[in-house]
Amino acid sequence: MNPSTLLFLVAGLGLIGWLVGRARATRFVATGAARRHSLPGQHGVYVAIWTIVPPLLFLLAWSILSPQLVTQAVMREPAAMALPDFGFERAAALAEARVLADDPTRGAFNPVAEELAPAMRSAQNFYGWIGAIAAIALAFAGGAFAFTRVKPAFRARNRVERSVMVLLLVASLIAILTTLGIFLSLLWESLRFFSIVSPIDFLFGTHWSPQVISATDPGASLGAVPLFWGTFFIGAVIAMIVAIPFGLMSAIYLTQYARPAVRSWMKPILEILAGVPTVVYGYFAALTVAPAIRDLAVSLGYTYASSDSALAAGLVMGVMIIPFVSSMADDSLAAVPQAMRDGSLAMGATKSETISKVLVPAALPGVVAGVLLAVSRAIGETMIVVMAASGAANITLNPFESTTTVTKQIVDLLTGEAEFDSPKTLAAFALGLTLFVVTLLLNIVALTVVKRYREAYE
């Protein structure tokens, strides 16, 4: 049975369970039964949970187990037994047979795979129907069990609330485990890299040239300081020079000067910038901003100015993160107690003096937190620097010169043709781990600042 059809069937059975459980609980109300603990809808949800959750858990486990059973069934075929026990040939034949089983109209490159396709299709259908029948049986059994417990004094509300609490716990654990899995995968590959290259050479070396790596001293060509400087220069200097003043000034105007009618349409337009895909910003930087920056550099006397400049990528990145700074500053200014505004105005201060000497200092922790979050967003940006920044690893203070970033180098290293175990490829994981740690620290600092700010004014 098709998995989507089976899921739709299980959902339908859950809906039926909800209707049946609710109808039975409604009869208690109609007959005037005493000691009704829960509402009819809560009884219906309880029956629906028992109808849906057990088959879904079984299907999740079956989706992991059934491919192994299918492979074991196919390997009993004479054509499969002739394949080597280990190696690429066996895995390739089974993979192609699986593709042919799903789509018989496709051509086969391996004759063995074409012979195994019917057996693969038959085994998939057999174990698919076993899983479907077992899931439906579990749905009926769970629904029947829950239906028998629907009584006036049954605490269905408590069971449903507990189920929702478990669901929320699982959702938060998924987020935590996903982050932990990303960190561990980066850490494992980074440890393999640092077993080849010294961490001192990588973190403090000033020469980055992964195209030419010495077999005796690979760390001499993998010094990441130019990448760290380029990331800091583009994402934390140039971008912030654009984002902080424009974001803060837009927040001050929208909260203090703009009329409600103006704010109602200006704020959504400003926040649209946060929803524009980064690849669009990359095209804008590469096709519009970069040539204009190059022409400006030539007019200022830089004869050999390049389009791949730090200034082009930084300017567009700053425009992209203006909504982050503006939104946090907006919330911070709005959270300042009205009594502070009124007290300043009552003492004779003008509106501009109140903003500059009372509101902004009071909202500064929230503004700083917004800036830190914007910096972490900027240093992790990929598409803009891939399309507008250069691949040249330079340490320079000249914004018209070419420089590169950590994220661009990760893309270049992982899209090349080098072997996975080579220092060149493993360097991408070390760069990713460094960027992950820096971004995590920035977010922790920003959240700490926000927490202290809320404790002061809530």
Side-chain angles (χ1 to χ4, degrees):
M1 182 179 291
N2 192 317
S4 59
T5 304
L6 181 57
L7 292 176
F8 181 77
L9 180 59
V10 170
L13 292 176
L15 177 60
I16 294 174
W18 179 79
L19 293 173
V20 171
R22 185 175 181 275
R24 180 170 182 174
T26 304
R27 285 190 301 173
F28 301 149
V29 179
T31 57
R35 298 180 59 192
R36 294 189 304 272
H37 180 271
S38 305
L39 298 175
Q42 294 166 343
H43 287 281
V45 172
Y46 176 76
V47 176
I49 289 174
W50 272 97
T51 306
I52 295 177
V53 173
L56 288 182
L57 294 177
F58 169 78
L59 289 175
L60 179 62
W62 188 249
S63 65
I64 300 174
L65 180 62
S66 61
Q68 302 177 6
L69 298 176
V70 170
T71 301
Q72 292 178 2
V74 173
M75 289 306 299
R76 290 194 289 267
E77 295 293 321
M81 296 176 65
L83 293 172
D85 292 338
F86 302 98
F88 174 77
E89 184 179 352
R90 174 182 176 181
L94 291 174
E96 188 174 0
R98 189 171 287 107
V99 172
L100 292 175
D102 296 333
D103 186 6
T105 61
R106 300 187 61 171
F109 294 97
N110 192 336
V112 178
E114 192 170 5
E115 294 181 24
L116 295 178
M120 180 74 71
R121 189 180 308 112
S122 176
Q124 287 178 343
N125 292 334
F126 175 73
Y127 288 108
W129 277 106
I130 288 180
I133 293 172
I136 294 173
L138 281 174
F140 277 106
F145 168 77
F147 182 78
T148 59
R149 304 193 69 184
V150 176
K151 298 177 181 178
F154 181 66
R155 298 176 177 270
R157 181 184 63 193
N158 296 352
R159 305 300 176 89
V160 171
E161 290 178 351
R162 193 175 306 165
S163 301
V164 173
M165 183 185 65
V166 171
L167 178 63
L168 296 176
L169 177 63
V170 170
S172 22
L173 285 178
I174 288 175
I176 295 172
L177 293 177
T178 300
T179 304
L180 181 62
I182 294 172
F183 174 74
L184 292 178
S185 63
L186 289 174
L187 180 63
W188 175 258
E189 300 299 338
S190 298
L191 291 177
R192 295 177 59 192
F193 172 76
F194 289 129
S195 66
I196 304 172
V197 177
S198 170
I200 303 298
D201 294 339
F202 174 75
L203 295 175
F204 299 101
T206 58
H207 178 64
W208 177 265
S209 181
Q211 293 78 16
V212 183
I213 298 179
S214 172
T216 57
D217 187 12
S221 301
L222 295 175
V225 169
L227 310 187
F228 300 150
W229 169 252
T231 303
F232 173 78
F233 189 48
I234 293 176
V237 177
I238 299 177
M240 289 302 107
I241 290 175
V242 176
I244 292 176
F246 283 100
L248 183 57
M249 288 189 292
S250 62
I252 291 174
Y253 172 75
L254 290 175
T255 56
Q256 305 301 320
Y257 291 101
R259 292 175 297 178
V262 176
R263 176 183 168 87
S264 65
W265 61 267
M266 280 196 65
K267 187 172 176 61
I269 291 177
L270 180 63
E271 292 179 348
I272 286 176
L273 292 175
V276 176
T278 55
V279 67
V280 176
Y281 283 110
Y283 275 117
F284 176 66
L287 301 179
T288 304
V289 178
I293 297 298
R294 179 195 58 202
D295 296 341
L296 175 62
V298 171
S299 66
L300 294 176
Y302 295 93
T303 307
Y304 301 103
S306 173
S307 297
D308 300 327
S309 63
L311 185 58
L315 285 177
V316 177
M317 193 180 298
V319 172
M320 181 192 69
I321 61 178
I322 284 176
F324 292 88
V325 179
S326 175
S327 178
M328 185 64 75
D330 190 321
D331 295 339
S332 302
L333 290 170
V336 175
Q338 184 65 34
M340 297 180 67
R341 296 181 176 89
D342 297 339
S344 176
L345 295 173
M347 294 180 66
T350 63
K351 191 170 187 178
S352 61
E353 290 174 338
T354 300
I355 293 172
S356 62
K357 296 184 179 181
V358 177
L359 297 184
V360 172
L364 192 59
V367 175
V368 172
V371 170
L372 292 175
L373 290 174
V375 169
S376 65
R377 174 70 177 85
I379 65 175
E381 172 55 35
T382 304
M383 288 307 302
I384 293 177
V385 294
V386 166
M387 302 178 69
S390 170
N394 298 321
I395 301 177
T396 177
L397 286 172
N398 187 352
F400 295 109
E401 291 187 8
S402 299
T403 187
T404 189
T405 64
V406 170
T407 52
K408 177 171 175 56
Q409 288 303 311
I410 290 175
V411 173
D412 293 341
L413 294 173
L414 293 180
T415 54
E417 297 180 356
E419 296 181 359
F420 186 81
D421 291 335
S422 66
K424 178 181 177 180
T425 303
L426 293 177
F429 294 95
L431 292 173
L433 179 63
T434 306
L435 190 64
F436 180 90
V437 172
V438 171
T439 305
L440 180 63
L441 292 177
L442 284 173
N443 280 272
I444 291 174
V445 172
L447 292 176
T448 303
V449 173
V450 170
K451 182 179 179 181
R452 291 181 180 177
Y453 163 74
R454 287 178 176 171
E455 288 179 350
Y457 292 106
E458 280 185 353

